[in-house]
């Protein structure tokens, strides 16, 4: 085992030992069935120091890299996908602070102390009908005399909705119609005007409780404002860090789902017997081919994640090719997860169609990968432009 792989094994044993993962896996079916939240998982992850993974050693944390956290998130997702996806949003926010700090921008370093103090961060960027995502906003940001803002709008798919205490959000300051500005920063849960929808009855990733959040003149205090930028494609470290952490950590979750689905598929074939041959379905050529094809497709996913997260950690300058690299990693992982989960359902047989079966839940959880921005359709012009436009 290489030094790097030895390090990964040590981190897995420290933060996500087998016994802990089995508890998570045992609870995943219940939280999915009851449409509950992963309170117990979160308590154990918090106790293990998992929420502080990105906090640098200089600030009192373990200082893990994106590459290391990606590997851990793949492992966590194999046990409890919705738990991994929910925790992802907190890790994304702390990872953004880490990435900016490493690159000389200290605007978010207060996030480190708050994380160690027990604050939970969430991601409030996605909005209904906003296909600009980070580069535009349907949320109004009304400036105040002291440099703060009042935000009014709706943020959708806000994971960790029962427990978050800090929300990274953005809004459009249109007070000067000739010079509109996007405002990025954090709002605190204690501020007046925050509402959380009671509607969350979805197909998969149910335990993430990614409910919509309404903001009605919610105060963003001046010291919580991080950036003020023109709308559109304006290069900035904050938006690059957010995009990188979001795409790669979400990809890590679906890579973990894909790997677990393949294991469930293999276990299903070993359990089932063929009435024709009298032997295990694991020896039937058609099933072996189906499973083998899915595994071959999957293998490219962790390889791409390993390479891309290491490049990010090592600050490789890919320039304009960074966005396609980031988005393709997530789209590829999502496709692999759906493909592997479908194969798991087929290999499990009729039993897998039962809603309680893990193959059924994995297929529903994998389907959520269709809804993370940008979609495959929205991303196609970017990939084409990388080859066709000067």
């Amino acid at each position: 085992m290489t030094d790097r792989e030895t390090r990964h094994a040590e981190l897995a044993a420290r933060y996500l030992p087998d016994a802990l993962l089995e508890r998570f896996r045992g609870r995943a079916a219940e939280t999915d069935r009851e449409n509950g939240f992963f309170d117990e998982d979160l308590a154990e992850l918090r106790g293990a120091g998992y929420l502080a993974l990105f906090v640098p050693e200089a600030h009192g944390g373990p200082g893990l890299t994106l590459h290391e956290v990606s590997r851990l998130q793949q492992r966590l997702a194999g046990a409890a996908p919705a738990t991994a996806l929910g925790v992802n949003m907190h890790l994304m926010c702390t990872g953004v602070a880490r990435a900016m700090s490493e690159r000389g921008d200290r605007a978010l370093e207060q996030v480190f102390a708050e994380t160690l103090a027990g604050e939970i961060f969430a991601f409030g960027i996605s909005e209904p009908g906003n296909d600009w995502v980070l580069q535009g906003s349907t949320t109004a940001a009304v400036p105040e005399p002291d440099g703060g803002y009042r935000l009014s709008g709706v943020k959708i798919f806000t994971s960790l909705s029962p427990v978050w205490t800090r929300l990274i959000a953005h809004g459009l300051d249109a007070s000067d119609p000739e010079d509109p500005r996007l405002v990025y920063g954090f709002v605190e849960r204690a501020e007046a005007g925050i509402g959380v929808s009671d509607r969350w009855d979805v197909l998969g990733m149910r335990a993430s409780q990614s409910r919509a959040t309404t903001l009605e003149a919610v105060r963003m205090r001046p010291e919580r404002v991080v950036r003020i930028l023109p709308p559109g494609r304006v290069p900035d470290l904050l938006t690059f860090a957010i995009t990188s952490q979001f795409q790669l950590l979400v990809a890590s979750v679906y890579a973990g789902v894909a790997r677990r689905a393949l294991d469930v598929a293999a276990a299903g074939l070993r359990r089932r017997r063929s009435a024709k041959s009298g032997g295990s379905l694991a020896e039937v050529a058609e099933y072996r081919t189906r499973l083998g094809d899915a595994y071959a497709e999957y293998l490219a996913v962790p390889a791409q994640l390993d390479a891309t997260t290491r490049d990010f950690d090592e600050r490789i300058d890919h320039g304009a090719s960074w966005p396609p690299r980031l988005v393709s990693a997530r789209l590829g992982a999502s496709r692999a997860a759906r493909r592997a989960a479908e194969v798991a359902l087929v290999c499990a047989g009729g039993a897998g169609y039962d809603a309680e079966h893990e193959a059924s839940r994995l297929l529903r959880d994998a389907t959520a990968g269709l809804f993370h921005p940008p979609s495959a359709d929205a991303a196609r012009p970017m990939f084409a432009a990388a080859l066709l436009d000067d």
Side-chain angles (χ1 to χ4, degrees), residues 56-139:
E57 292 180 352
H59 290 264
L64 268 61
T65 65
L66 178 58
H67 175 58
E68 291 167 340
V69 174
S70 170
R71 284 288 192 95
L72 288 173
Q73 281 295 90
Q74 290 176 57
R75 181 172 169 83
L76 176 58
T83 294
L85 187 65
V87 169
N88 231 19
M89 301 310 165
H90 169 88
L91 291 174
M92 189 213 74
C93 295
T94 57
V96 167
R98 166 71 178 274
M100 292 178 65
S101 179
E102 285 182 332
R103 289 160 176 78
D105 189 325
R106 297 193 170 118
L108 289 180
E109 286 194 345
Q110 62 185 339
V111 166
F112 302 142
E114 290 181 296
T115 298
L116 295 178
E119 305 294 348
I120 296 179
F121 291 83
F123 187 65
I125 298 295
S126 296
E127 299 166 332
N130 176 19
D131 53 0
W132 277 108
V133 195
L134 274 171
Q135 297 163 350
S137 179
T138 59
T139 295

Side-chain angles (χ1 to χ4, degrees), residues 166-186:
R166 303 284 188 269
L167 184 72
I168 189 168
H170 72 331
L172 183 66
D173 174 5
S175 56
D176 181 353
E178 300 299 319
D179 188 24
R181 295 280 157 166
L182 282 172
V183 178
Y184 304 82
F186 288 90

Side-chain angles (χ1 to χ4, degrees), residues 299-386:
L299 284 174
V301 171
Q304 184 179 14
L305 271 173
D306 277 355
T308 310
T309 53
R310 288 202 303 268
D311 279 2
F312 185 85
D313 290 329
E314 295 167 10
R315 302 175 216 174
I316 303 299
D317 183 8
H318 287 302
S321 74
W322 262 120
R325 289 168 185 264
L326 298 169
V327 174
S328 69
R330 180 186 57 78
L331 290 175
S334 297
R335 284 193 299 269
R338 293 193 299 276
R339 163 81 163 134
E342 181 180 310
V343 169
L345 193 67
V346 172
C347 292
Y353 196 60
D354 190 289
E356 291 288 313
H357 197 286
E358 188 175 4
S360 176
R361 176 164 48 82
L362 286 170
L363 181 61
R364 290 187 287 105
D365 285 344
T367 303
L370 292 169
F371 298 97
H372 300 290
S375 67
D377 288 340
R380 283 192 180 98
M382 174 184 64
F383 294 126

Side-chain angles (χ1 to χ4, degrees), residues 87-341:
V87 169
N88 231 19
M89 301 310 165
H90 169 88
L91 291 174
M92 189 213 74
C93 295
T94 57
V96 167
R98 166 71 178 274
M100 292 178 65
S101 179
E102 285 182 332
R103 289 160 176 78
D105 189 325
R106 297 193 170 118
L108 289 180
E109 286 194 345
Q110 62 185 339
V111 166
F112 302 142
E114 290 181 296
T115 298
L116 295 178
E119 305 294 348
I120 296 179
F121 291 83
F123 187 65
I125 298 295
S126 296
E127 299 166 332
N130 176 19
D131 53 0
W132 277 108
V133 195
L134 274 171
Q135 297 163 350
S137 179
T138 59
T139 295
V142 178
E144 297 197 300
D146 64 356
Y149 288 84
R150 294 279 178 176
L151 269 57
S152 297
V154 178
K155 304 294 185 176
I156 57 174
F157 294 123
T158 313
S159 300
L160 302 171
S161 60
V163 297
W164 67 261
T165 61
R166 303 284 188 269
L167 184 72
I168 189 168
H170 72 331
L172 183 66
D173 174 5
S175 56
D176 181 353
E178 300 299 319
D179 188 24
R181 295 280 157 166
L182 282 172
V183 178
Y184 304 82
F186 288 90
V187 297
E188 299 181 5
R189 189 68 172 258
E191 296 289 348
I194 295 175
V196 177
S197 172
D198 59 3
R199 177 67 179 171
W200 181 251
D201 189 10
V202 293
L203 181 68
M205 295 293 188
R206 290 160 65 84
S208 70
Q209 290 295 306
S210 304
R211 303 177 181 218
T213 301
T214 58
L215 306 173
E216 297 182 7
V218 174
R219 169 89 161 152
M220 180 184 284
R221 293 186 281 111
E223 64 271 21
R224 302 301 263 175
V225 176
V226 180
R227 282 290 197 281
I228 300 175
L229 299 171
R233 295 184 175 90
V234 178
D236 187 82
L237 179 57
L238 174 66
T239 53
F240 172 64
I242 290 175
T243 300
S244 303
Q245 302 296 307
F246 181 87
Q247 298 297 328
L248 295 176
L249 288 175
V250 170
S252 301
V253 169
Y254 289 99
V257 171
R259 175 69 238 200
R260 176 60 183 174
L262 292 170
D263 290 340
V264 169
L269 291 182
R270 291 191 186 100
R271 280 195 300 267
R272 297 172 64 198
R273 310 290 295 180
S274 168
K276 290 181 180 180
S277 68
S280 167
L281 287 188
E283 301 304 320
V284 175
E286 291 82 0
Y287 282 106
R288 294 180 69 88
T289 298
R290 183 187 298 270
L291 184 57
D293 286 348
Y295 183 51
E297 291 177 19
Y298 158 78
L299 284 174
V301 171
Q304 184 179 14
L305 271 173
D306 277 355
T308 310
T309 53
R310 288 202 303 268
D311 279 2
F312 185 85
D313 290 329
E314 295 167 10
R315 302 175 216 174
I316 303 299
D317 183 8
H318 287 302
S321 74
W322 262 120
R325 289 168 185 264
L326 298 169
V327 174
S328 69
R330 180 186 57 78
L331 290 175
S334 297
R335 284 193 299 269
R338 293 193 299 276
R339 163 81 163 134

